[in-house]
Amino acid sequence: MKNNESVVERLRSAQKVVALTGAGVSKESGIPTFRDAQTGLWKDYDPERLATPEGFLADPPLVWQWYDMRREKIADVQPNPGHYALAELEKMIPVVVIVTQNIDGLHAKAGSRDIIELHGNITRHICFDNRHQQEKVPLKLKQPPCCRCGSLIRPDVVWFGEALPPDSLEKAFAEVRSADFIFVVGTSGLVQPAASLPYIGKQAGAYIVEVNPEETPITDIADCFLQGPSGRILSNLIEQLRAIAVEESG
Ligand code: NAD
């Protein structure tokens, strides 16, 4: 497979790899994606009611319980070979940065160390009015508890209509500008501003490799499109890198 060979070559010589990941990278861990037509997370739910600041204020217990249910499920979920492959890459490339839209914490669980979470993390909590960080919040509360300032506590995730944390976004832009190799894994490339990151990286000269079972708007600018589930494709790339390293050392 010519494409695959050149990806391995490019990876071997890369100094800095940035992996932009979306819901698809966690699908093989059993977490539904956002848009998947058949099984998508939002198919049976109304995002306006469940994932907006207005929805939270209109019915705090409903939104709290929905996130509580998701947090409880995610606590038992394990990373899949795709997460592990990206973590393993750190041992082979000088700099590897993960920029994820996911809120599930699975990259960290797999061992990746340099992670920018653009949309927050479902296991963390802040207060609604002042964004005060909260200590561990217990599961199975019927409604959101209150912060020391009196405001309701909410999950530390970015809801529809909210801005991304400016520090994370700025750092993500800087990382793609200085990368020489960018993976775009399991994202539909539709949610802004995360969707603009591959274009910025491409403009700055990075080699773009997309991993996804389906084509997306990003496929057009990708230097290589590896079609299929990220667990298989990424672990296969790591295997090839390992085999070359063994061959060279022997
Ligand atoms: P998306 O749901 O819009 O797109 C998912 C993409 O993953 C699609 O392009 C699909 O073809 C691809 N995909 C499906 N199976 C795959 C596999 N096995 N391997 C690789 N790719 C696969 O997701 P998005 O672009 O990340 O945007 C949705 C938003 O929903 C994000 O803001 C994100 O924060 C949120 N979200 C997060 C999680 C999570 O934390 N795991 C889950 C669902 C949604």
Side-chain angles (χ1 to χ4, degrees):
M1 232 161 94
K2 183 169 174 294
N3 263 350
N4 206 4
E5 271 167 26
S6 61
V7 170
V8 173
E9 279 312 306
R10 290 276 184 161
L11 251 186
R12 282 183 67 207
S13 58
Q15 293 302 305
K16 178 170 187 171
V17 174
V18 172
L20 306 170
T21 69
V25 79
S26 294
K27 184 161 171 173
E28 290 155 84
S29 292
I31 303 179
T33 67
F34 185 62
R35 279 168 221 280
D36 192 308
Q38 299 304 311
T39 60
L41 188 58
W42 302 88
K43 184 169 69 82
D44 302 320
Y45 302 96
D46 176 4
E48 290 287 325
R49 290 180 67 203
L50 294 168
T52 61
E54 297 76 21
F56 178 66
L57 291 179
D59 193 343
L62 173 83
V63 176
W64 182 264
Q65 286 175 30
W66 192 66
Y67 274 92
D68 198 51
M69 179 262 291
R70 288 178 65 196
R71 178 161 64 116
E72 194 175 11
K73 276 192 184 159
I74 280 172
D76 291 333
V77 166
Q78 296 309 315
N80 67 59
H83 297 107
Y84 286 119
L86 291 173
E88 182 75 14
L89 206 54
E90 284 185 15
K91 298 179 190 145
M92 305 171 169
I93 312 283
V95 182
V96 178
V97 183
I98 310 284
V99 179
T100 189
Q101 296 175 68
N102 295 346
I103 57 173
D104 55 30
L106 288 180
H107 285 298
K109 223 172 180 177
S112 284
R113 285 173 304 177
D114 198 348
I115 305 167
I116 301 174
E117 293 178 317
L118 289 176
H119 293 169
N121 188 309
I122 198 169
T123 64
R124 290 195 309 259
H125 294 82
I126 52 174
C127 75
F128 188 88
D129 290 334
N130 298 307
R131 305 188 70 82
H132 292 139
Q133 295 284 344
Q134 306 296 314
E135 290 298 313
K136 254 188 173 332
V137 175
L139 284 163
K140 298 208 184 293
L141 300 177
K142 289 276 172 272
Q143 52 191 353
C146 282
C147 178
R148 60 185 185 279
C149 69
S151 164
L152 289 176
I153 291 174
R154 55 166 281 183
D156 186 5
V157 298
V158 177
W159 280 332
F160 292 105
E162 292 187 311
L164 272 65
D167 290 358
S168 309
L169 191 58
E170 258 169 50
K171 190 160 183 287
F173 281 129
E175 298 294 6
V176 290
R177 280 197 194 101
S178 56
D180 47 10
F181 186 113
I182 295 179
F183 274 123
V184 185
V185 186
T187 173
S188 56
L190 297 172
V191 178
Q192 290 294 355
S196 65
L197 290 167
Y199 297 88
I200 291 166
K202 174 90 179 176
Q203 254 172 7
Y207 184 77
I208 312 283
V209 175
E210 184 180 36
V211 181
N212 199 311
E214 286 170 33
E215 293 194 5
T216 73
I218 295 156
T219 313
D220 280 345
I221 63 146
D223 293 288
C224 178
F225 174 53
L226 299 178
Q227 188 160 23
S230 47
R232 172 168 60 75
I233 291 192
L234 291 175
S235 45
N236 183 268
L237 285 176
I238 294 293
E239 277 311 312
Q240 291 183 62
L241 285 177
R242 254 200 227 115
I244 293 171
V246 168
E247 218 174 88
E248 282 178 349
S249 70

